[in-house]
Amino acid sequence: EAEVAQSPRYKITEKSQAVAFWCDPISGHATLYWYRQILGQGPELLVQFQDESVVDDSQLPKDRFSAERLKGVDSTLKIQPAELGDSAMYLCASSSAGTGNSYEQYFGPGTRLTVT
Amino acid sequence: RKEVEQDPGPFNVPEGATVAFNCTYSNSASQSFFWYRQDCRKEPKLLMSVYSSGNEDGRFTAQLNRASQYISLLIRDSKLSDSATYLCVVNKRAGNMLTFGGGTRLMVKP
């Protein structure tokens, strides 16, 4: 069964350092999402891509976060500089749907970030 | 007010019990509704979609009340393996953009 791949699974970094997460969606899925999930809360959408284009990044803290999907396949989410409040699970999801349809989103295992 | 609200629980129930979770959403234009299940320190996985007419999948029944902007999930004959967090999810607006509730934690005990 095809899966969404993410790496690393765990990351510990000191505040003010830069950190990057990688996601490889299910092959053929045009839509890719990055979510942040703080312990005890539901996932919160950070950014949505349709192919290589950003569809929505209204909740992405652009002063320190950036995301790219240059070739419309895999994607990288970067935080620079990291802050203590960034400690969370970062989830990547993909979907075969375009922006006008609602289909199941498949989640990767996530990257658990701890900022010290 | 949060876009999607759930009772965080935990709901502690014995095996075999019937348990129901409720969820309310604020955006009356929402069109698609789902329940996701998330095990501890794992990723969310789709449990079932929620249709206007209500739908059932084995021991699980989901219902939607658009007038009251309310979604429910009923689990019958609870199993130990049902212990998890159940996330209520609605689409944010037209298009495949989802808003998650905070989740309801269920613990089924022997």
Side-chain angles (χ1 to χ4, degrees):
Chain A
E1 181 177 313
E3 296 179 342
V4 176
Q6 288 189 249
S7 68
R9 294 290 305 275
Y10 305 92
K11 179 69 178 179
I12 300 174
T13 191
E14 294 181 349
K15 63 179 181 180
S16 81
Q17 296 298 304
V19 63
F21 314 131
W22 176 80
C23 172
D24 191 12
I26 293 172
S27 179
H29 279 193
T31 313
L32 184 148
Y33 312 81
W34 282 102
Y35 291 88
R36 176 172 59 187
Q37 186 173 25
I38 295 170
L39 194 63
Q41 299 181 21
E44 173 193 23
L45 180 69
L46 293 174
V47 61
Q48 177 184 354
F49 288 93
Q50 180 68 24
D51 299 310
E52 67 276 7
S53 300
V54 173
V55 173
D56 188 307
D57 62 357
S58 58
Q59 299 302 311
L60 189 70
K62 298 181 188 64
D63 57 335
R64 298 185 300 107
F65 286 64
S66 64
E68 60 183 17
R69 194 184 184 197
L70 295 177
K71 297 183 179 179
V73 181
D74 59 338
S75 176
T76 302
L77 178 70
K78 297 179 181 178
I79 308 174
Q80 182 174 18
E83 296 181 353
L84 295 177
D86 297 331
S87 295
M89 174 79 90
Y90 290 82
L91 293 159
C92 179
S94 71
S95 168
S96 59
T99 55
N101 300 296
S102 187
Y103 291 98
E104 179 176 357
Q105 294 185 18
Y106 296 85
F107 284 82
T111 296
R112 185 169 296 280
L113 173 67
T114 301
V115 182
T116 62
Chain B
R1 181 186 174 188
K2 292 181 180 178
E3 290 186 59
V4 181
E5 293 203 65
Q6 296 181 250
D7 181 344
F11 285 60
N12 295 296
V13 302
E15 270 187 293
T18 295
V19 61
F21 307 136
N22 302 321
C23 166
T24 57
Y25 61 95
S26 61
N27 186 346
S28 60
S30 297
Q31 298 181 7
S32 302
F33 309 89
F34 310 91
W35 284 101
Y36 274 68
R37 170 192 169 129
Q38 186 171 27
D39 293 296
C40 188
R41 296 184 177 272
K42 299 286 189 180
E43 71 273 22
K45 293 187 177 180
L46 179 66
L47 178 65
M48 60 196 303
S49 301
V50 186
Y51 303 121
S52 297
S53 55
N55 49 299
E56 186 174 310
D57 183 1
R59 299 181 293 108
F60 298 83
T61 300
Q63 293 196 316
L64 168 65
N65 184 322
R66 285 187 184 273
S68 300
Q69 294 180 204
Y70 168 100
I71 306 160
S72 66
L73 176 68
L74 182 77
I75 305 176
R76 291 181 298 277
D77 189 22
S78 299
K79 311 292 185 189
L80 295 176
S81 58
D82 293 334
S83 296
T85 295
Y86 291 84
L87 297 163
C88 175
V89 187
V90 309
N91 76 325
K92 194 173 183 178
R93 55 178 183 265
N96 200 20
M97 298 174 65
L98 304 180
T99 300
F100 287 77
T104 297
R105 188 175 173 200
L106 171 66
M107 299 181 68
V108 181
K109 299 187 180 298

